[in-house]
Amino acid sequence: MSVKLIVLKLGGSVITDKKKLSTPNLEAIERMADEISQAKVSSLILVHGGGSFGHQVAKQYNLAEGYRDPSQVIGFSETHRAMTKLNILVMEALINHNINAIVVQPSSCVVTKAGRIQSIELKPMKKMLNMGLVPVLYGDAVLDSEKGFAILSGDQLVASLAINFGASRIIMGGDVDGLYTADPKSGCSAKLVQRVTLEDLKNQKHEIKGSKATDVTGGMLGKMRELIPAIEQNIQTLIVNATKPLRVYKAIKGEEVIGTIIEKG
Ligand code: ADP
């Protein structure tokens, strides 16, 4: 696979209003599509989060805990439907900006075991990348060989795809400038960490927490835990604030940008 492959994640905090149920941030989606298009990246996989679309429905039916009774099954359908509604808005914006985007639905190509990816169908995506297409995936409800079903986070997908396709870089676009010494939304003074090593992360040098918003898959703490295996494979990871114009563009171009670089060490 191309050594130039970038796996880009657009956080649910960016493309939706996490405080309002099923509310997209159309302006942000449009701007993201524009920045990605302007950056003219040669090989790209895009993953987006669920924000106020997937998480609330998944929580309502306790999907993350797995299958307990038949009344949850409709919750699986509804969670997936909520995600497809958000995904279609992202797809429209991408294709309108001449990005060769193609949806890859995780619920149809991933099976998890106790919430961890057990199998993922990579062949079509490999061919898509070779064809110059941009596979677009998202956090989704998936079937689980142990629990019945599970919620697969976009973050887990990012790491798995980056490792499987030998990506050169991961860019995580979120609603904060990067990794801080503490949760920047907690009210206490937190400093942006510009560069961090795997060892720093493992030693929990910084106070990393979950998300304040309804999020069944874990905030910044969940993100870091998921990314560690990819960073271990020497895939450079950059966290930037995608709610601020041109940060994602600069990150894709490899230009200097405010954010956090995470390296193996
Ligand atoms: P997304 O929806 O973009 O995937 P999340 O909301 O799940 O992102 O996680 C990012 C959130 O994690 C941030 O908005 C922030 O409030 C929180 N967070 C907790 N600890 C930290 C930290 N040390 N540095 C940065 N963000 C943190």
Side-chain angles (χ1 to χ4, degrees):
M1 194 43 58
S2 158
V3 286
K4 290 261 161 67
L5 175 70
I6 293 176
V7 180
L8 170 65
K9 160 94 192 290
L10 297 181
S13 61
V14 179
I15 60 170
T16 75
D17 181 341
K18 274 196 165 179
K19 292 189 199 97
K20 291 187 200 142
L21 185 67
S22 299
T23 307
N25 184 337
L26 295 173
E27 196 195 312
I29 293 173
E30 188 64 20
R31 185 173 49 75
M32 280 301 95
D34 188 42
E35 289 188 27
I36 296 164
S37 168
Q38 297 293 335
K40 298 195 187 346
V41 54
S42 59
S43 186
L44 177 72
I45 296 179
L46 197 76
V47 179
H48 67 80
S52 62
F53 279 74
H55 294 293
Q56 260 129 330
V57 194
K59 210 165 195 175
Q60 191 187 332
Y61 288 92
N62 287 323
L63 291 193
E65 277 130 56
Y67 177 84
R68 298 240 166 91
D69 67 85
S71 67
Q72 285 173 297
V73 181
I74 190 68
F76 186 90
S77 301
E78 283 184 18
T79 302
H80 179 71
R81 179 181 61 174
M83 285 310 300
T84 59
K85 280 186 181 169
L86 175 60
N87 174 255
I88 194 79
L89 300 173
V90 175
M91 297 308 291
E92 287 285 327
L94 293 171
I95 296 171
N96 286 341
H97 281 84
N98 286 318
I99 297 162
N100 306 328
I102 179 87
V103 187
V104 177
Q105 295 190 345
S107 55
S108 307
C109 69
V110 176
V111 171
T112 55
K113 185 177 183 192
R116 310 303 305 168
I117 296 175
Q118 184 179 30
S119 68
I120 176 164
E121 188 57 55
L122 297 170
K123 229 180 192 175
M125 272 188 274
K126 199 170 176 184
K127 288 205 172 293
M128 287 169 189
L129 288 168
N130 288 340
M131 189 59 80
L133 287 158
V134 174
V136 180
L137 299 91
Y138 46 84
D140 202 1
V142 295
L143 292 158
D144 189 285
S145 57
E146 219 171 89
K147 306 196 299 173
F149 33 60
I151 297 300
L152 174 64
S153 73
D155 299 330
Q156 189 183 156
L157 268 172
V158 163
S160 167
L161 293 167
I163 293 167
N164 274 300
F165 287 116
S168 61
R169 289 194 294 143
I170 291 173
I171 300 169
M172 302 292 289
D175 68 341
V176 289
D177 281 358
L179 180 68
Y180 281 79
T181 49
D183 185 351
K185 290 180 190 159
S186 66
C188 59
S189 72
K191 273 198 199 133
L192 179 68
V193 184
Q194 286 178 327
R195 208 169 264 271
V196 73
T197 65
L198 209 53
E199 210 171 294
D200 295 337
L201 281 183
K202 284 183 178 166
N203 294 338
Q204 297 181 317
K205 219 176 131 189
H206 307 296
E207 194 184 317
I208 311 173
K209 293 221 165 107
S211 166
K212 289 210 184 320
T214 314
D215 199 324
V216 286
T217 52
M220 190 57 82
L221 183 61
K223 231 171 273 307
M224 290 304 120
R225 282 193 185 133
E226 292 298 353
L227 291 171
I228 285 173
I231 301 159
E232 261 162 2
Q233 303 283 314
N234 261 321
I235 302 170
Q236 199 197 71
T237 300
L238 178 60
I239 307 170
V240 291
N241 192 336
T243 67
K244 299 201 175 148
L246 295 175
R247 299 268 172 98
V248 166
Y249 169 84
K250 286 182 183 168
I252 296 173
K253 296 295 269 185
E255 292 175 9
E256 203 170 304
V257 61
I258 295 168
T260 302
I261 294 173
I262 313 170
E263 287 170 321
K264 194 172 173 188

